[in-house]
Amino acid sequence: MKLKYVGFIFSILLACVPLIFSFYGYVPPSVGGMFFIFLIAAGLWIYEIIPGHATSILIILSEIILFSNPGKWEFLKQFAGPGKPNAPAVFLASLADSAVILFLGSFALAKSCVKVGVDRWLANRVLPYFGTSPKYVLLGLMCITATISLWMSNTATASLMIALVFPLLMVLDKDEKFRKAVLIGIPFAANLGGIGTPIGSPPNVIAFANLKNQGYGDFISFGSWMLVAVPLLIILLFAAWFWLLRAFPASHGLSLSLRYETISEEGSEKRLRFVLFGFLVTVLLWLTESFHGIPAGVVALFPLLLFTAFGILESNDLRSLEWDVLILVAGGIALGTGIEKSGAGVWFGELIGKQAGPGESLWVLGIFFSIGLFLSTFLSNTATANLLVPLALPVAALLLPGDESYAIQLVLGSALGASLAMSLPVSTPPNAVAYAVGGFEIKDMAKVGVRIGILGLVLVLLGFLIFK
């Protein structure tokens, strides 16, 4: 029997423990049922027995059956908890949560930008300013990659940028160490760019949605997220650039120059300007949410409407959007809802609160970040965030009651830990994309990736000490 099936069987046995405890009265039945769902989902995500988005659907279905009991089955009434059972719509709402719509809008925005050649347009206008020196060309490529990754899938960004640098890779000698710097620098920049906005990566969306849904919407917005994350992104990006140059220096006298052909279809210039206009308006509305009051998820409908109405995105384009990722994110939101409605969050928070007092809040932040970093090194960062973020909020509420800033820091720390794991090809899809091209070994990626994760932990803890 394959090892993954043995592991999954073990996770099922582990999931039965809270159910057994609930039968004997050690925990409320609703709490035991919720942790049964949680641990089964964890086993499915970790061992990939079924696709990740299928696990998300299973979570939503299980929560409806246990906590809504639509069939009014007598033996399930104990799991509904005191009072009236939650309506199925409470859990189905995760599929149309504003954060899922926010991500859908970002997919439409990214698809439109790629279709009209915004990536090439940006590269042509930015890269010349970095000259022909290899170290500055690398910096330019990483800056462009990170900038694009702020607004679109980091996987798609890495794929695009690696395709764009193929002419450069063909020019460089196979023994040239700098090739490794380029091939590793692009996915690292895509990963780091993903932390800069709520739409940059699925862990961000999960964290953003859980904060909004748990009543922290007045304390976190699109702009405030960027205010915290972009400085962290800039520091880590320059650190990654420096370490890559130290690890894989260019040969003496090497000179590089890149320029790309833009899409030359009829009317392409007008389409490009139209998409750039829509992009800038959308970003401006996201950044000024605190002024006009329109939620980021509602703003995300603007590019979706604009680009479909004017033919930039056609039916085939819409069908090719990453719907599986949206469902996967919805699963994390549903877990957060279930943990709240079942009372499992309060129970877990009290359990942690007995072990750690308010004075140990820094260590709790470090532990959540480190767990996210460790788990995401070996499995999907989305699955990791799905598991950690819903547990972070109740722990923060019990550890430092009424301290909204700590709750936000703990949730962001969990999401960032999941996003900053990039030491192996399996850690993130951008890493896997680059590794598939070939030209470097796993140890080459780990050499810099581990340092980025450690520096991220140090900066997050330092930020907590400064702004607590």
Side-chain angles (χ1 to χ4, degrees):
M1 186 180 291
K2 289 184 178 180
L3 184 61
K4 72 174 185 177
Y5 292 109
V6 174
F8 179 60
I9 291 171
F10 174 76
S11 68
I12 293 176
L13 295 175
L14 184 63
C16 291
V17 173
L19 277 183
I20 295 171
F21 280 7
S22 68
F23 290 146
Y24 284 97
Y26 293 110
V27 297
S30 59
V31 173
M34 186 62 233
F35 276 109
F36 174 78
I37 295 172
F38 180 88
L39 292 171
I40 289 291
L44 288 171
W45 273 325
I46 291 171
Y47 296 106
E48 299 181 331
I49 303 298
I50 60 176
H53 54 277
T55 301
S56 292
I57 295 172
L58 177 63
I59 290 168
I60 297 170
L61 177 62
S62 301
E63 289 179 343
I64 291 173
I65 291 174
L66 275 188
F67 305 128
S68 298
N69 193 13
K72 296 181 173 55
W73 296 324
E74 194 67 30
F75 69 97
L76 289 180
K77 285 185 177 179
Q78 58 180 324
F79 293 105
K84 187 178 179 181
N86 293 289
V90 171
F91 304 104
L92 288 171
S94 61
L95 290 166
D97 189 272
S98 63
V100 174
I101 304 302
L102 174 64
F103 219 28
L104 176 61
S106 74
F107 285 166
L109 198 62
K111 191 81 174 179
S112 301
C113 288
V114 172
K115 194 171 181 180
V116 302
V118 170
D119 51 337
R120 290 172 173 79
W121 178 86
L122 184 64
N124 281 335
R125 276 158 181 74
V126 174
L127 272 178
Y129 291 102
F130 289 88
T132 58
S133 173
K135 62 179 180 180
Y136 294 121
V137 169
L138 176 62
L139 180 61
L141 289 171
M142 292 179 71
C143 287
I144 292 172
T145 303
T147 301
I148 296 174
S149 191
L150 287 170
W151 312 106
M152 64 183 286
S153 160
N154 50 18
T155 308
T157 302
S159 300
L160 281 172
M161 292 304 295
I162 287 176
L164 286 177
V165 299
F166 256 117
L168 170 63
L169 297 176
M170 296 295 290
V171 171
L172 292 174
D173 189 271
K174 289 187 177 181
D175 295 327
E176 172 61 51
K177 288 185 177 181
F178 187 69
R179 283 174 57 92
K180 295 182 179 181
V182 173
L183 280 170
I184 298 174
I186 287 174
F188 279 10
N191 294 328
L192 292 173
I195 72 175
T197 64
I199 61 172
S201 68
N204 295 11
V205 178
I206 293 163
F208 196 66
N210 276 275
L211 286 169
K212 292 278 188 179
N213 293 341
Q214 301 301 323
Y216 294 91
D218 293 336
F219 306 97
I220 185 75
S221 65
F222 202 101
S224 61
W225 179 294
M226 292 189 68
L227 199 62
V228 172
V230 170
L232 177 65
L233 151 65
I234 292 171
I235 294 171
L236 291 173
L237 187 70
F238 275 91
W241 172 66
F242 175 78
W243 284 327
L244 284 168
L245 289 176
R246 290 288 299 271
F248 313 110
S251 299
H252 181 70
L254 183 65
S255 179
L256 303 170
S257 180
L258 286 172
R259 187 164 183 83
Y260 307 101
E261 292 184 7
T262 55
I263 297 175
S264 58
E265 298 174 358
E266 185 179 351
S268 61
E269 189 70 24
K270 290 182 179 179
R271 286 157 60 91
L272 177 65
R273 291 177 182 176
F274 182 76
V275 170
L276 285 173
F277 168 76
F279 175 85
L280 292 174
V281 171
T282 303
V283 170
L284 183 63
L285 289 172
W286 274 335
L287 294 177
T288 56
E289 179 185 342
S290 58
F291 294 100
H292 53 67
I294 303 175
V298 177
V299 171
L301 292 174
F302 171 71
L304 193 60
L305 171 64
L306 186 68
F307 299 141
T308 53
F310 286 89
I312 301 296
L313 294 180
E314 300 171 340
S315 297
N316 289 336
D317 298 316
L318 291 177
R319 281 193 284 269
S320 68
L321 296 180
E322 299 172 6
W323 295 99
D324 56 330
V325 176
L326 295 176
I327 295 174
L328 186 56
V329 168
I333 297 170
L335 267 185
T337 302
I339 286 173
E340 179 205 0
K341 299 298 182 183
S342 67
V346 174
W347 181 87
F348 184 76
E350 289 175 346
L351 181 67
I352 298 296
K354 291 177 183 177
Q355 310 299 323
E360 296 174 325
S361 54
L362 175 67
W363 295 110
V364 172
L365 174 59
I367 289 169
F368 267 83
F369 184 99
S370 300
I371 292 174
L373 191 66
F374 175 77
L375 289 179
S376 192
T377 299
F378 304 100
L379 64 127
S380 159
N381 56 12
T382 309
T384 301
N386 276 344
L387 296 173
L388 281 182
V389 168
L391 294 178
L393 275 170
V395 169
L398 268 295
L399 206 59
L400 292 177
D403 191 337
E404 292 83 5
S405 64
Y406 181 68
I408 293 171
Q409 285 174 327
L410 192 58
V411 169
L412 290 183
S414 302
L416 288 172
S419 295
L420 292 179
M422 56 187 82
S423 56
L424 299 176
V426 297
S427 300
T428 67
N431 286 17
V433 169
Y435 187 68
V437 175
F440 66 89
E441 299 176 17
I442 293 177
K443 64 180 181 180
D444 297 324
M445 183 170 276
K447 189 184 299 184
V448 178
V450 170
R451 294 179 183 179
I452 293 173
I454 294 173
L455 178 59
L457 172 61
V458 172
L459 291 174
V460 166
L461 295 180
L462 186 62
F464 170 79
L465 291 173
I466 294 173
F467 298 108
K468 70 175 181 177

